[in-house]
């Protein structure tokens, strides 16, 4: 009976998403008729952007459901490495939002080098990066992952649990990054003006949010003043979409630097000037 309800829920959600996708092109002619001539270009661009967003959401949800189902049936439950291997196996033959083994190895290297106790992930996707990071954290380490889509957050959390991790080791926040960041201080149990904070931040959500969210993290004093590595994922095989945030970094040499630039991941380093030491 439970499986029947689950199937109905999935079907209804898919139908709702298809309605969103279908409604945008239907609304476009009406909006263009209503809009005056000088606004039609802007309205057209807005509708095209909305359609692209709806398609991305639909594809993402389908990908998450399919990945979740494959992992549950193919991996060894309670074994993080088996979960990651099954992720990679799935990605060989299916569309996937996972960063993949090559970027995953670079992520592993960063986690081992930084040895973080407080980690923030913006953009959970299927939980692949979450599992990779969690398996390398020290015993007292903790991950907070923020995911906008409720279904993705729910299924991603289940995958983390299947990998053998406990809720005491991670927390999933179903929210936009803009809404979540102001609440992180209480989640991390941090006091302002202390030497504590996030040691590692992985940004793998909307690249247009990278710079605003970095500024918000700094404004909220959430980045560890003695050093925080920020990993930026760029999925278009180029760092061109990071132009804005990299421009900001290079304009702030007093506290930011670009540590490395790979094909699909860029690492920047934050450190308050007063806490910098000669290496």
């Amino acid at each position: 009976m439970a499986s029947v309800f689950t199937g109905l829920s999935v079907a209804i959600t898919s139908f709702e998403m298809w309605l969103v996708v279908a409604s945008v092109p239907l609304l476009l002619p009406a909006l263009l008729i209503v809009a005056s001539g000088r606004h039609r270009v802007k309205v057209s661009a807005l509708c095209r952007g909305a359609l692209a967003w709806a398609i991305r959401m639909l594809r993402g949800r389908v990908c998450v459901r399919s990945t979740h189902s494959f992992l549950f049936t193919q991996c060894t439950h309670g074994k993080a490495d088996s979960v990651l291997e099954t992720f990679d196996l799935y990605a060989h033959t299916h569309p996937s939002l996972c960063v993949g083994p090559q970027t995953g190895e670079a992520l592993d290297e960063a986690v081992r080098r930084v040895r973080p106790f407080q980690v923030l992930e913006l953009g959970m996707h299927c939980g692949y990066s979450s599992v990779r990071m969690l398996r390398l954290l020290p015993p007292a380490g903790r991950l907070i992952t923020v995911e906008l889509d409720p279904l993705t957050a729910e299924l991603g959390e289940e995958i983390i649990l299947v990998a053998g991790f406990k809720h005491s080791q991670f927390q999933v926040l179903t929210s936009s990054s803009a809404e979540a960041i102001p609440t992180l201080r209480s989640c991390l149990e941090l006091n302002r003006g202390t030497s504590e904070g996030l040691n590692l931040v992985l940004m793998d959500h909307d690249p247009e949010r990278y710079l605003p969210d970095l500024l918000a993290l700094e404004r909220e004093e959430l980045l560890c003043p003695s050093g925080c590595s920020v990993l930026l994922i760029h999925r278009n095989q180029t760092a061109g979409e990071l132009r804005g945030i990299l421009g900001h970094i290079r304009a702030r040499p007093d506290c930011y630097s670009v540590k490395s630039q790979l094909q699909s991941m860029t690492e920047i380093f934050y450190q308050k000037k007063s806490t910098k030491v000669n290496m």
Side-chain angles (χ1 to χ4, degrees):
M1 182 65 70
S3 61
V4 173
F5 284 118
T6 301
L8 287 173
S9 176
V10 169
I12 291 171
T13 305
S14 299
F15 179 69
E16 290 172 347
M17 287 301 297
W18 277 113
L19 283 179
V20 173
V21 174
S23 66
V24 176
L26 293 175
L27 287 172
L28 177 57
L31 289 173
L32 289 176
I33 293 173
V34 173
S36 61
R38 64 192 182 99
H39 293 302
R40 284 183 182 176
V41 174
K42 292 182 179 179
V43 171
S44 178
L46 179 63
C47 288
R48 286 196 300 270
L51 178 59
W53 169 84
I55 292 174
R56 284 197 304 270
M57 286 289 292
L58 178 61
R59 287 176 177 170
R61 282 178 162 233
V62 171
C63 172
V64 170
R65 285 197 193 92
S66 178
T67 305
H68 178 273
S69 176
F70 186 86
L71 278 164
F72 260 63
T73 57
Q74 300 297 322
C75 76
T76 301
H77 287 215
K79 301 290 185 181
D81 287 339
S82 174
V83 169
L84 294 176
E85 290 170 2
T86 308
F87 262 121
D88 294 336
L89 178 64
Y90 176 86
H92 280 309
T93 55
H94 300 78
S96 175
L97 295 175
C98 302
V99 296
Q102 184 176 358
T103 303
E105 289 173 6
L107 176 59
D108 288 352
E109 189 279 327
V111 176
R112 290 190 180 100
R113 171 168 36 82
V114 175
R115 290 179 293 180
F117 284 93
Q118 303 275 18
V119 180
L120 172 66
E121 178 185 33
L122 300 177
M124 185 183 195
H125 299 299
C126 301
Y128 180 84
S129 299
S130 308
V131 173
R132 288 202 82 110
M133 292 188 291
L134 277 165
R135 82 193 206 286
L136 297 175
L137 295 186
R142 190 160 176 261
L143 169 72
I144 293 181
T145 180
V146 178
E147 172 56 49
L148 176 62
D149 180 59
L151 176 66
T152 301
E154 178 184 350
L155 298 184
E157 182 174 6
E158 288 185 8
I159 288 175
I160 294 175
L161 294 171
V162 164
F165 300 104
K166 301 177 181 179
H167 280 117
S168 60
Q169 298 170 279
F170 73 96
Q171 182 177 359
V172 178
L173 300 180
T174 306
S175 167
S176 69
S177 55
E179 294 172 332
I181 288 174
T183 70
L184 292 180
R185 181 164 296 281
S186 60
C187 296
L188 296 168
E189 299 180 353
L190 299 177
N191 296 317
R192 288 186 180 274
T194 67
S195 59
E196 300 175 336
L198 294 166
N199 312 113
L200 183 70
V201 177
L202 175 64
M203 294 191 178
D204 190 16
H205 53 320
D206 180 0
E208 293 185 1
R209 291 296 316 169
Y210 286 5
L211 179 55
D213 289 342
L214 180 64
L215 295 174
L217 290 169
E218 186 178 356
R219 183 171 59 251
E220 296 289 335
E221 299 180 10
L222 293 169
L223 304 177
C224 183
S226 61
C228 177
S229 287
V230 182
L231 308 177
L232 311 172
I233 301 297
H234 32 95
R235 295 175 177 271
N236 294 334
Q237 306 304 317
T238 173
E241 59 190 4
L242 305 181
R243 191 173 294 109
I245 190 170
L246 292 179
H248 172 77
I249 297 307
R250 295 187 175 108
R252 297 279 306 281
D254 56 315
C255 58
Y256 285 109
S257 62
V258 178
K259 192 170 185 65
S260 66
Q261 287 185 276
L262 305 176
Q263 186 178 33
S264 57
M265 188 177 81
T266 296
E267 180 179 357
I268 62 178
F269 186 70
Y270 168 86
Q271 189 178 50
K272 274 195 172 180
K273 186 175 182 180
S274 58
T275 62
K276 284 191 175 184
V277 295
N278 296 324
M279 301 295 290

